[in-house]
Amino acid sequence: PMTQPTKTPTSMASPMLVPNPADVRPVEIEPPNPLPVIAAVGANRDFQARRPCKELGIVALLHLRPTLVAMVKAWISLGADPQDLLIIAKVYNYPEGDVVRVVLRELGVTVVSVTDIGLAISVFLARLGDKRFMVIEDGGHVMPHVCNHPRLIGAIEQTTKGIRRCRAAIAKLRKPYLALPQSTFKQRFEPDHVARAATESIERLLAGHAQLGSMSVAVIGAAGTIGARIAEALAPKVRDIVTYDCNEPRDFRLRAFARFKVAGSAREAVTGRDLVVGCTGECTLRGSDISALKDGVVLASTGSERTEFPVALLGYLAEKAEPFRPSPANVIAGLPHGTIYSLRPRGKSVILLNDGEPVNFSHLAPPEPAVFDLVMGTILAGSIELALGQYAGRTGYLDVFDSIVERHQLDELFVALHTDTEV
């Protein structure tokens, strides 16, 4: 079981010594660690004694968030050489993104953009020499490049889209591939928090332009785990809601058990709607659907990447594109809330929130460090077990994260360490 890292008590001054008032300084109180689960996993005594990351390379394609810094520090504390870590950054409009990049580079870690993935991996593996390595990723971008590499010990994927991408690109996996989306833990814990973050972010991005209570909404992908929660979160806040799912088996379930109106097609769902929320992980709208969009429609993505809406097509059809800044009071670091496209031939206005990137990761999304702490702490524990050879000899997609959570009592640890945090 994981234990919370202990702090060494500071020495107390002798009661016989009376300090000079001029020498008395304010007591510096260490702020609480917002990511204590990650810290506790990294500080586990057994892990620390075994140094599982020594002589091991790690390729991690993740978001530039503070959780990434915490994980990198944990890997280093467990023996990893910073030069053996390659971070491939998924770059969104995070207010802390640049700071995270600087901190990682100061630690001696290589940080590159996802657009440079092929060259970066080649250079990294050449530098790594004969050392083994693992992959930790979000989206299935790295594994197609390295799946058959002889020194790969395994990988971890945290998104359903990443698993789909790997299934399409890799005929047979010869190494263990720990699949977080298959776990009951992720399916039960994460969706409500994603839905809350997405809903609040949409409200904040629209502040000064429109209120949700006056809007009719379409949720595309509403039969998925995340989409269903987003529809439920939006329903009491909006004037009217309609749902649809492009996946036929899921669409059948949606129609059988739906709590909301279900459209017959994506085009029908978006016609006349004020707000379209994409939750599919793929492209929500096709070119033929754009003509059905209402003048002034708002598009909001909650997928893991910039794929829900045809951004390039909107740019091609636009006679003009300008930043969407509805409320100067909400502008952070000069960042707009999205882009307004005026489409040919009639100048129809389409507002793409957060430029098509996930609104739940926007610069106005509510911070939820407790949520990321447990999810990334669980991934960290999985990476350590992978490094220790726990899954050696196994191949393919492994549904092991529920047992990882149970084995290390991460759910109990989460509750104990976040008792004062709204989760």
Side-chain angles (χ1 to χ4, degrees), residues 58-62 68 75 85-89 134-137 142:
I58 300 175
V59 180
L61 191 151
L62 297 167
L68 179 55
W75 286 326
L85 303 180
L86 172 64
I87 302 301
I88 304 173
M134 72 170 70
V135 171
I136 316 293
E137 69 173 321
V142 177

Side-chain angles (χ1 to χ4, degrees), residues 6-12:
T6 57
K7 298 179 181 178
T8 304
T10 54
S11 59
M12 301 295 293

Side-chain angles (χ1 to χ4, degrees), residues 45-56:
R45 292 180 181 177
D46 180 55
F47 291 164
Q48 285 287 331
R50 299 173 73 177
R51 308 282 284 174
C53 297
K54 187 176 181 180
E55 299 297 314
L56 179 70

Side-chain angles (χ1 to χ4, degrees), residues 25-274:
R25 299 178 181 177
V27 177
E28 295 184 1
I29 301 176
E30 182 180 348
N33 183 355
L35 304 169
V37 175
I38 295 176
V41 172
N44 175 268
R45 292 180 181 177
D46 180 55
F47 291 164
Q48 285 287 331
R50 299 173 73 177
R51 308 282 284 174
C53 297
K54 187 176 181 180
E55 299 297 314
L56 179 70
I58 300 175
V59 180
L61 191 151
L62 297 167
H63 296 277
L64 286 181
R65 307 300 295 264
T67 48
L68 179 55
V69 174
M71 289 182 70
V72 166
K73 288 183 176 180
W75 286 326
I76 293 173
S77 76
L78 293 167
D81 185 333
Q83 295 186 13
D84 293 339
L85 303 180
L86 172 64
I87 302 301
I88 304 173
K90 298 189 75 173
V91 183
Y92 295 131
N93 288 331
Y94 302 135
E96 69 274 21
D98 290 339
V99 174
V100 170
R101 188 189 303 272
V102 169
V103 170
L104 291 173
R105 286 177 172 168
E106 287 180 346
L107 289 172
V109 176
T110 301
V111 183
V112 300
S113 169
V114 69
T115 57
D116 302 319
I117 184 171
L119 177 60
I121 290 175
S122 297
V123 172
F124 175 75
L125 293 179
R127 189 177 68 222
L128 200 60
D130 295 331
K131 295 179 182 177
R132 303 171 306 142
F133 71 98
M134 72 170 70
V135 171
I136 316 293
E137 69 173 321
D138 179 338
H141 297 277
V142 177
M143 277 297 284
H145 291 270
V146 301
C147 62
N148 294 320
H149 199 285
R151 294 193 300 278
L152 174 68
I153 65 170
I156 293 175
E157 172 58 55
Q158 63 170 312
T159 66
T160 301
K161 181 171 184 177
I163 294 175
R164 287 203 302 262
R165 182 174 279 147
C166 283
R167 288 187 189 276
I170 304 170
K172 183 178 180 181
L173 282 169
R174 295 181 173 85
K175 300 293 173 65
Y177 190 100
L178 312 191
L180 183 62
Q182 295 180 353
S183 66
T184 302
F185 152 73
K186 180 179 173 71
Q187 294 171 8
R188 288 182 176 177
F189 176 76
E190 195 174 47
D192 287 334
H193 300 288
V194 173
R196 179 171 62 186
T199 302
E200 290 187 23
S201 181
I202 290 171
E203 287 186 288
R204 295 177 183 185
L205 290 166
L206 289 176
H209 173 75
Q211 294 184 342
L212 285 179
S214 66
M215 305 182 82
S216 60
V217 179
V219 178
I220 313 297
T225 306
I226 298 293
R229 296 296 196 282
I230 288 175
E232 291 172 359
L234 283 170
K237 294 176 174 285
V238 301
R239 175 169 58 84
D240 181 38
I241 190 167
V242 65
T243 59
Y244 177 71
D245 202 290
C246 307
N247 180 283
E248 288 189 9
R250 295 197 321 191
D251 183 57
F252 177 82
R253 284 202 312 273
L254 183 64
R255 294 176 187 283
F257 303 105
R259 295 175 49 198
F260 314 111
K261 179 182 176 182
V262 182
S265 65
R267 184 182 179 86
E268 178 187 332
V270 305
T271 299
R273 297 287 156 175
D274 302 304

